[in-house]
């Protein structure tokens, strides 16, 4: 196991370009990227089809918002795009609502051992660290995400696995079991088939029988819009009372590139033991 959470601060020195702190997630991120949004309105594009232009070395290329490997490969680009320009607030919202639900249940957030599914470059882990959770284990299918997390937030995770949650190796499965996880978070990665329902089901099965679940999902997906199999799974969880629901709230996820607020639900619940076999088979 790689030690990913050093206790001492990491000092940066030498002949480096100035660092900026224009957003709380931008600490120790190199200086600016030249990004530009398209001139035409994006209302006809799906949220996962939106794109921007990035100019580097005199050349301009088009990058989709969901081209995460290209975005993570450039230090600070993710933060500048989603958190500075588009004012995303989902990591803070989801973690704060999880914290409130745990404490309302008269338990301690500090004792939680969290699996951060679709971990990306570690922004959710940064929020979990702020509230003092005991352990944070990241998992993402994109190798560039792990590289970015270790580069940008080297103390955020106790461990970080690059894996397909639906096809874990025996070692990966054993590693996750060793952490004795009690909660799973998944932020801004659901409903666009970035993380399909079977992966989320597998993540739920990885945590304790009464473990906590915290995630967000676009409001349209729960109102009949096409949100893939994960939206169907969430509707089933809520309609069939398969989890003990502790909190559901509609909130502003981030701005679109046209300046409109994208609204999501944050959902916090608790497992009622293992999911019925019929449900697991239906989303296998």
């Amino acid at each position: 196991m790689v030690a990913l959470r050093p206790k001492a601060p990491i000092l940066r020195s030498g002949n480096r370009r100035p660092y900026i702190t224009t957003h709380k997630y931008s600490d120790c991120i190199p200086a600016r990227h030249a990004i530009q949004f398209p001139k035409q309105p994006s209302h006809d594009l799906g949220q996962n089809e939106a794109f921007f232009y990035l100019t580097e070395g005199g050349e301009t290329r088009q990058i989709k918002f969901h081209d995460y490997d290209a975005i993570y490969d450039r230090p600070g680009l993710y933060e500048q795009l989603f958190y500075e320009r588009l004012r995303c607030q989902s990591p803070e919202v989801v973690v704060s609502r999880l914290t409130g639900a745990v404490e309302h249940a008269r338990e301690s957030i500090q004792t939680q051992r969290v699996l951060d599914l679709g971990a990306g470059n570690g922004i959710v882990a940064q929020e979990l660290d702020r509230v003092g959770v005991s352990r944070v284990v990241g998992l993402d299918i994109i190798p560039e995400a792990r590289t970015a997390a270790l580069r940008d937030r080297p103390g955020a995770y106790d461990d970080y696995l690059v894996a397909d949650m639906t096809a874990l190796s025996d070692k990966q499965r054993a590693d996750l079991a060793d952490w004795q996880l009690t909660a799973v978070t998944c932020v801004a990665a659901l409903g666009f088939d970035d993380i399909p329902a079977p992966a989320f089901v597998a993540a739920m099965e990885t945590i304790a029988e009464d473990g906590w679940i915290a995630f967000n999902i676009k409001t349209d997906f729960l109102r009949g819009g096409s949100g893939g199999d994960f939206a169907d799974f969430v509707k089933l969880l809520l309609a069939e009372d398969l989890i003990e629901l502790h909190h559901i709230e509609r909130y502003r996820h981030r701005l679109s590139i046209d300046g409109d607020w994208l609204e999501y639900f944050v959902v916090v619940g608790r497992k009622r033991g293992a999911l019925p076999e019929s449900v697991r088979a239906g989303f296998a």
Side-chain angles (χ1 to χ4, degrees), residues 39 78 83 130 138 141 204 219 238 242 252 271-272:
K39 295 179 180 178
Y78 189 88
Y83 291 91
R130 289 180 195 277
I141 201 169
M204 286 181 62
T219 56
L238 299 178
L242 297 178
R252 291 174 169 179
K271 286 176 62 176
R272 298 184 188 274

Side-chain angles (χ1 to χ4, degrees), residues 128-143:
L128 291 167
D129 190 55
R130 289 180 195 277
V131 299
V133 299
S134 175
R135 305 286 189 277
V136 187
V137 176
L139 188 146
D140 204 296
I141 201 169
I142 304 173

Side-chain angles (χ1 to χ4, degrees), residues 62-79:
Q62 178 179 309
I63 300 177
K64 284 187 176 182
F65 280 17
H66 283 219
D67 288 342
Y68 295 120
D69 51 352
I71 295 174
Y72 290 144
D73 195 44
R74 294 161 171 82
L77 180 55
Y78 189 88
E79 290 81 359

Side-chain angles (χ1 to χ4, degrees), residues 232-243:
D232 294 336
F233 176 65
V234 173
K235 293 173 187 176
L236 183 65
L237 284 181
L238 299 178
E240 300 295 329
D241 200 29
L242 297 178
I243 62 171

